[in-house]
Amino acid sequence: MHLLQLAVLLPFIGAVLVPVFYSYMKRLHPGIVALIFPVAAAALLIISRLSGQAESHFAWMPRLGLNLDFNLDGFAFLFTMLITVIGALVIFYSVHYLGRREALGHFYCYLLIFMGAMLGVVLSDNVLSLYMFWELTSISSFLLIAFWNHKEKSIQGALKSMLITVFGGLMLLGGLLTLVSITHTFSIREMLTMTNVIAGSPLFTVALVFILLAAFTKSAQFPFHIWLPDAMEAPTPVSAYLHSATMVKAGIYLVARFTPVFAVAPLWIYAVTFAGAVTLFWASFNAVKQRDLKGVLAYSTVSQLGLMMTLLGIGGISLHYHHDEIFYMSIAACVFHIFNHASFKGALFMVVGIIDHETGTRDLHKLGGLMQVMPITFTAAVIGALSMAGVPPFNGFLSKEMFLSSMFDSSESALFNPVLVFVLLALVIIGSIFTFIYSVKLLKDVFLGERHALPKEAHEAPLAFLASPLILITIVVVTGLIPNILAPMIEAASSAVLNKPVDHLHIAHWHGINPALLTTLTIFVLGTLMVLYFSKWKSVYKLQPEHWTFNTLYQSALKNSEHLSYKINHSVIAGGSRLHLVLIFGTFIVLTALALLFAPTGFGKWQLADIRIYELILVIIILVATYMVVIAKSRIFSIIMLSAIGYSVGLFFVFFNAPDIALTQLTIETISTALFLMCFFHLPKLTLYGETAKFKLHNAAIAILTGLSVIVIGLIAYGHRYYPSINEYYIKNVYELAAGKNMVNVILVDFRGFDTLFESAVLGIAGIGIYTLIKLRYRKDDSNEQTEK
Amino acid sequence: MEIIMIILAGILVAAAVYLILSRSLLRVIIGTSVLTHAVNLLLLSMGGLKTGAIPIYGETVKRYVDPIPQALILTAIVISFAITAFFLVLAFRSYKELGTDNLAEMRGVPDDEQ
């Protein structure tokens, strides 16, 4: 088995083994066992990267195009490292976070499924397997968010994230299949070589919109960001892993992966850039007003995802104008920030989890002055938050600098006119100021100030609990101080994104005095001032009315659609049989009318028989009897008129030389009449329920239109005979082949005897049915079904 | 003659639909019977009412009327009779059980929500 396949398979094996193991070995925490799998997967991935075995192929359902083809390029390698390393750290952290009373078997099962699915997403070269793993991340994320399923809010949050991300997943399927239909290949790498074909296709925009919707919903871009803050009901290790480091970056991954295909279109660049910028601004603005620590981090994640999206948008320009190599920097910045964000945001989530665990609350208004009691946690939080705010010398500063200079560079492109550049810069700079504000305010509210009474007596967490965030913080510091150790990795990842080599990347703290540095300084100054005078301007947040949020919009959309479907169902299904009949007849009438309108055919050529006087008399009798039946107000009268119609029809059969059916009709009419009389003896008087004039008019209109449709269809059909009848055969052979003279009877029992067999069966079944209806009684109060004597 | 027969069948269909749309179960059953007659007449007319001999084989006869629609109608009559009989008994039983033959009152189960 290939190393890559094994690496993806390992977490799934773990998902099966860990719960089994846990049920036999209760004393050993299953998290320790679960730790083996990400570590082993990481080792396998590094080995296969170093040894150059970067591709694997497994034909699963080759006829459908569904193969497990994995490709470990630089970009995928970056992601797999984030997934496995942070996965291992999160699992180690969760060993201390989750007590033994929790359903630990379930937790590690879901977490490992998620890990495997995420590895599958970033490694897949086959679009169908990409989609499969993508949905698997949605499902396992749903299970993890609802891990504490006794809490109403967890279920709500899980449902919301499920609905939004699965909507996006279906969009992804649509987009990928559109691409498949354009390129006739299921391989992403082959698609990347066919960019001209794709760009020339009329379905190009459709695929583009689908893929963007998928990426925006998964990566919580405006206005689909609403699921992420609600997903904070998950246990904190889950939030740290899924909702900061890995899953939410799947959308970023998707956009980056398909940038070489779609970035030739200005629509893609505008959409990605501005969706990102608006998300960056809106989420960082909202993060400041959160009271819940995890809420701050959730909005902060959304805003940082917006930042990455903006960078990808600007980076796409480099494919638009082939000579513009300055935009390579933008892609490198994005890749660098993916790494940085995963490190500091993972650490911050874990820190928040520790604070929650040791103090019993995450409410910013209740916390304060924890600096002295939790010094190690404090140090980690300071480094994480300052990196997030973009303060030197941490890695957040570096990627923020690169980000800002990319934004200034956007004015170099012909795609961006001064107005767009101004809007873009305004959004990202204001967004960055708010990022600074919430990062600093978080530190200030939690660790400075005076201490309040807390649910638990606060004290420093055990070292094993602190280990994971400290490792991540170490990464933050190290990559902040010597960023160029990452340069080969970033170069490889950027080259993979752009599908062309990006090299000679040099990341440095000091680029000289340039606009980006000046902007950063402005952000620090303004941000510090705004934090200090927060109470002066916090009424800004009251400008947005309480109910005018995207959440309310989502909730009301959900509620209204449920209500609407209920109403439609209720009115149609519970409308009674009459409504259904009206709908059926109405459809018949409308379809006939449409057919006549859009495919008009003349009445054709009629071959008519002569009219004889006694036939006319019979027609008049039937008409009168029909009228009588319709207006009849008593049972007997209507039955008699009905049998008058029946006998007249029998007489018609006599006139039209059909002795057998005449005989049958007369006999059956007699029996039916007797039956009617017998039953009606038991039935109530004929009552005309609710026969108002309006009711009658409606019915009459439908009835007349139906009758007219039948007449028109009949006349048209009669006028068009394209083939002679096959009756010649029967007439010729009735005596020679079947030895009978009565043609109707021979047809019934010889030529087409099967019809007769089953017609007899119908009669028999009706008889049995009638018998059981009368004999078999079942009452609700009987305990068993039984026959009533 | 065929035109008259087709129009007659159409009128019978209209009467049948009118009866079926009413709220009394009895009238619905009568309506279905009328519909049967309409359809049988239509079947016969569409086969052509050209005058010919009764479809019983004889040495001297040149033209017969079409025997196929007749065979079809014969089958249809029997089947519709079976169904009418069953329907009548069903109406009888439902009246005994439910105490009404008003279709507007025979309305399903109570709502499962709201």
Side-chain angles (χ1 to χ4, degrees):
Chain A
M1 186 179 245
H2 196 278
L3 290 178
L4 283 181
Q5 291 166 0
L6 193 63
V8 177
L9 196 64
L10 262 176
F12 291 108
I13 297 172
V16 177
L17 286 186
V18 170
V20 173
F21 185 82
Y22 178 54
S23 56
Y24 287 105
M25 288 277 284
K26 287 281 181 196
R27 276 192 297 170
L28 188 64
H29 197 287
I32 303 290
V33 185
L35 206 51
I36 300 166
F37 299 96
V39 172
L44 286 176
L45 287 163
I46 291 171
I47 293 169
S48 64
R49 176 80 180 157
L50 291 180
S51 64
Q53 292 175 293
E55 289 168 31
S56 79
H57 170 77
F58 173 72
W60 183 12
M61 301 181 202
R63 287 208 171 183
L64 289 177
L66 175 51
N67 298 318
L68 292 180
D69 294 339
F70 297 130
N71 173 30
L72 184 69
D73 61 8
F75 194 51
F77 181 68
L78 170 73
F79 267 91
T80 54
M81 283 301 108
L82 292 182
I83 294 160
T84 49
V85 173
I86 296 184
L89 293 175
V90 159
I91 288 176
F92 187 65
Y93 172 81
S94 66
V95 169
H96 298 272
Y97 184 83
L98 290 174
R100 292 191 170 276
R101 275 170 300 166
E102 309 279 1
L104 292 174
H106 292 188
F107 183 79
Y108 290 106
C109 176
Y110 303 156
L111 200 68
L112 287 168
I113 290 177
F114 172 78
M115 187 182 290
M118 202 61 214
L119 283 177
V121 166
V122 298
L123 286 173
S124 281
D125 184 47
N126 181 288
V127 290
L128 292 181
S129 75
L130 168 67
Y131 171 70
M132 187 186 77
F133 286 118
W134 182 281
E135 289 295 35
L136 204 52
T137 63
S138 295
I139 293 166
S140 50
S141 155
F142 169 79
L143 291 169
L144 284 166
I145 296 169
F147 179 64
W148 286 320
N149 54 21
H150 54 272
K151 289 201 296 189
E152 181 65 22
K153 279 183 110 180
S154 296
I155 295 172
Q156 294 290 339
L159 189 67
K160 192 191 231 178
S161 75
M162 181 81 167
L163 283 176
I164 294 178
T165 54
V166 167
F167 162 77
L170 291 175
M171 294 297 122
L172 177 67
L173 183 63
L176 293 177
L177 290 183
T178 313
L179 283 178
V180 169
S181 76
I182 296 171
T183 59
H184 304 288
T185 172
F186 287 91
S187 157
I188 295 172
R189 270 179 299 167
E190 281 175 34
M191 282 177 185
L192 296 188
T193 61
M194 298 168 78
T195 45
N196 291 331
V197 180
I198 299 172
S201 161
L203 289 171
F204 177 75
T205 313
V206 178
L208 187 155
V209 170
F210 276 150
I211 297 277
L212 276 187
L213 278 175
F216 287 175
T217 47
K218 196 76 161 182
S219 279
Q221 298 294 299
F222 186 88
F224 305 109
H225 64 280
I226 51 171
W227 67 266
L228 208 147
D230 283 16
M232 291 301 128
E233 295 301 324
T236 303
V238 173
S239 309
Y241 188 40
L242 273 68
H243 306 128
S244 71
T246 54
M247 187 178 87
V248 287
K249 295 207 174 85
I252 304 284
Y253 172 82
L254 190 71
V255 168
R257 204 29 114 206
F258 283 98
T259 289
V261 174
F262 290 115
V264 289
L267 173 64
W268 171 272
I269 289 167
Y270 292 136
V272 175
T273 310
F274 282 94
V278 171
T279 312
L280 167 62
F281 162 72
W282 182 249
S284 60
F285 177 72
N286 273 298
V288 179
K289 73 171 179 189
Q290 300 300 316
R291 274 186 68 170
D292 182 5
L293 267 172
K294 277 175 90 174
V296 178
L297 291 186
Y299 275 102
S300 140
T301 304
V302 175
S303 126
Q304 304 277 317
L305 290 168
L307 186 156
M308 295 169 211
M309 210 50 110
T310 316
L311 281 171
L312 282 179
I314 299 291
I317 303 175
S318 63
L319 290 146
H320 208 259
Y321 298 107
H322 294 280
H323 56 278
D324 272 352
E325 293 198 357
I326 50 168
F327 298 111
Y328 285 9
M329 174 62 96
S330 184
I331 296 289
C334 176
V335 172
F336 192 30
H337 200 70
I338 289 172
F339 178 86
N340 294 344
H341 177 252
S343 61
F344 67 70
K345 191 54 67 64
L348 281 175
F349 265 110
M350 291 178 187
V351 163
V352 164
I354 289 172
I355 294 169
D356 187 13
H357 209 266
E358 304 303 335
T359 63
T361 182
R362 295 195 315 243
D363 191 333
L364 280 172
H365 293 203
K366 289 184 187 154
L367 293 164
L370 291 178
M371 189 167 78
Q372 284 85 4
V373 266
M374 301 173 81
I376 306 175
T377 318
F378 171 66
T379 315
V382 166
I383 296 173
L386 290 184
S387 179
M388 179 159 77
V391 175
F394 308 114
N395 59 9
F397 167 73
L398 301 167
S399 45
K400 207 55 168 286
E401 285 281 88
M402 290 162 82
F403 166 66
L404 287 171
S405 53
S406 294
M407 290 303 116
F408 284 115
D409 286 345
S410 69
S411 61
E412 305 266 327
S413 166
L415 279 174
F416 285 84
N417 61 31
V419 180
L420 285 179
V421 172
F422 177 75
V423 173
L424 186 66
L425 284 175
L427 282 172
V428 301
I429 291 173
I430 297 173
S432 302
I433 294 174
F434 278 102
T435 307
F436 186 84
I437 295 171
Y438 70 69
S439 307
V440 176
K441 197 169 156 292
L442 185 104
L443 294 174
K444 178 172 158 276
D445 286 0
V446 176
F447 295 103
L448 303 178
E450 55 190 289
R451 285 169 65 188
H452 306 276
L454 292 166
K456 281 188 194 169
E457 191 50 50
H459 56 80
E460 189 55 273
L463 200 62
F465 200 11
L466 280 165
S468 293
L470 286 180
I471 292 171
L472 284 174
I473 286 300
T474 314
I475 294 175
V476 170
V477 175
V478 170
T479 55
L481 292 176
I482 28 175
N484 283 310
I485 52 167
L486 285 177
M489 196 171 176
I490 293 168
E491 278 171 10
S494 311
S495 315
V497 171
L498 288 168
N499 216 6
K500 48 181 127 179
V502 176
D503 41 17
H504 308 304
L505 189 72
H506 181 73
I507 307 166
H509 284 268
W510 181 252
H511 288 287
I513 297 174
N514 56 11
L517 184 71
L518 294 176
T519 316
T520 311
L521 289 176
T522 320
I523 290 169
F524 291 163
V525 173
L526 275 178
T528 317
L529 287 175
M530 284 176 82
V531 173
L532 289 175
Y533 296 102
F534 180 62
S535 53
K536 295 264 161 67
W537 59 274
K538 71 178 174 189
S539 51
V540 167
Y541 287 104
K542 294 197 178 116
L543 288 178
Q544 184 190 17
E546 193 93 342
H547 297 290
W548 286 28
T549 61
F550 288 97
N551 255 327
T552 7
L553 198 69
Y554 164 84
Q555 294 293 356
S556 71
L558 200 64
K559 215 170 150 190
N560 283 331
S561 59
E562 272 175 15
H563 188 62
L564 186 71
S565 69
Y566 172 78
K567 266 175 98 172
I568 292 173
N569 264 335
H570 187 74
S571 57
V572 175
I573 304 296
S577 54
R578 185 175 170 271
L579 177 69
H580 301 165
L581 287 169
V582 169
L583 289 176
I584 292 168
F585 288 128
T587 312
F588 171 66
I589 294 165
V590 170
L591 287 183
T592 313
L594 286 179
L596 289 177
L597 270 178
F598 291 107
T601 41
F603 283 112
K605 206 172 138 219
W606 289 320
Q607 294 179 314
L608 300 176
D610 303 329
I611 303 171
R612 286 172 293 190
I613 188 72
Y614 38 86
E615 289 165 355
L616 271 187
I617 294 169
L618 212 47
V619 167
I620 290 163
I621 292 174
I622 291 185
L623 286 179
V624 172
T626 311
Y627 179 68
M628 290 300 175
V629 169
V630 170
I631 61 155
K633 287 202 170 56
S634 89
R635 288 179 291 177
I636 282 290
F637 186 61
S638 55
I639 296 165
I640 290 171
M641 285 302 133
L642 180 64
S643 43
I645 299 175
Y647 287 120
S648 311
V649 169
L651 273 182
F652 260 129
F653 293 154
V654 173
F655 290 151
F656 294 139
N657 287 348
D660 295 284
I661 46 176
L663 206 61
T664 319
Q665 175 72 23
L666 294 177
T667 319
I668 293 236
E669 197 53 43
T670 313
I671 303 173
S672 308
T673 310
L675 205 65
F676 266 100
L677 286 174
M678 215 156 67
C679 275
F680 278 29
F681 177 72
H682 295 283
L683 284 173
K685 285 216 160 42
L686 189 74
T687 335
L688 302 177
Y689 299 103
E691 298 265 308
T692 57
K694 197 179 154 200
F695 181 79
K696 277 189 197 167
L697 201 69
H698 281 179
N699 289 358
I702 293 166
I704 288 169
L705 286 173
T706 314
L708 267 179
S709 308
V710 170
I711 292 171
V712 171
I713 293 173
L715 289 178
I716 291 175
Y718 188 69
H720 294 85
R721 277 168 185 271
Y722 296 107
Y723 303 102
S725 171
I726 54 165
N727 58 17
E728 287 305 318
Y729 173 82
Y730 292 111
I731 292 168
K732 212 181 283 171
N733 293 313
V734 66
Y735 191 63
E736 286 168 29
L737 290 183
K741 288 192 172 176
N742 185 329
M743 294 169 196
V744 176
N745 289 3
V746 168
I747 289 174
L748 280 176
V749 298
D750 192 320
F751 289 126
R752 301 187 57 87
F754 256 118
D755 293 357
T756 315
L757 174 66
F758 291 110
E759 164 201 339
S760 320
V762 168
L763 209 56
I765 290 167
I768 295 168
I770 290 169
Y771 178 80
T772 45
L773 263 182
I774 291 172
K775 280 286 177 187
L776 213 63
R777 303 286 165 83
Y778 171 68
R779 301 219 178 277
K780 274 182 187 161
D781 44 292
D782 289 354
S783 51
N784 317 325
E785 216 170 310
Q786 51 183 239
T787 347
E788 197 185 58
K789 297 220 171 119
Chain B
M1 189 64 216
E2 281 85 353
I3 297 176
I4 296 177
M5 290 304 287
I6 289 171
I7 292 172
L8 178 66
I11 292 170
L12 282 174
V13 167
V17 169
Y18 183 81
L19 289 167
I20 288 172
L21 286 176
S22 74
R23 285 188 185 144
S24 156
L25 197 51
L26 297 185
R27 280 164 71 90
V28 173
I29 301 172
I30 293 172
T32 52
S33 288
V34 175
L35 195 61
T36 310
H37 294 315
V39 171
N40 288 344
L41 282 182
L42 204 58
L43 269 177
L44 194 71
S45 316
M46 296 304 285
L49 297 173
K50 272 173 291 180
T51 38
I54 293 172
I56 290 176
Y57 189 75
E59 295 289 332
T60 54
V61 184
K62 285 270 169 61
R63 282 182 65 209
Y64 299 96
V65 293
D66 194 345
I68 300 173
Q70 297 193 12
L72 293 180
I73 292 170
L74 209 137
T75 312
I77 291 174
V78 176
I79 290 176
S80 78
F81 166 72
I83 286 168
T84 308
F86 183 76
F87 197 2
L88 269 172
V89 177
L90 192 65
F92 162 71
R93 286 290 302 145
S94 70
Y95 175 68
K96 287 281 170 208
E97 293 287 328
L98 304 172
T100 180
D101 71 328
N102 184 352
L103 282 174
E105 284 173 22
M106 294 186 189
R107 297 202 20 189
V109 285
D111 294 341
D112 50 324
E113 57 179 318
Q114 288 197 0

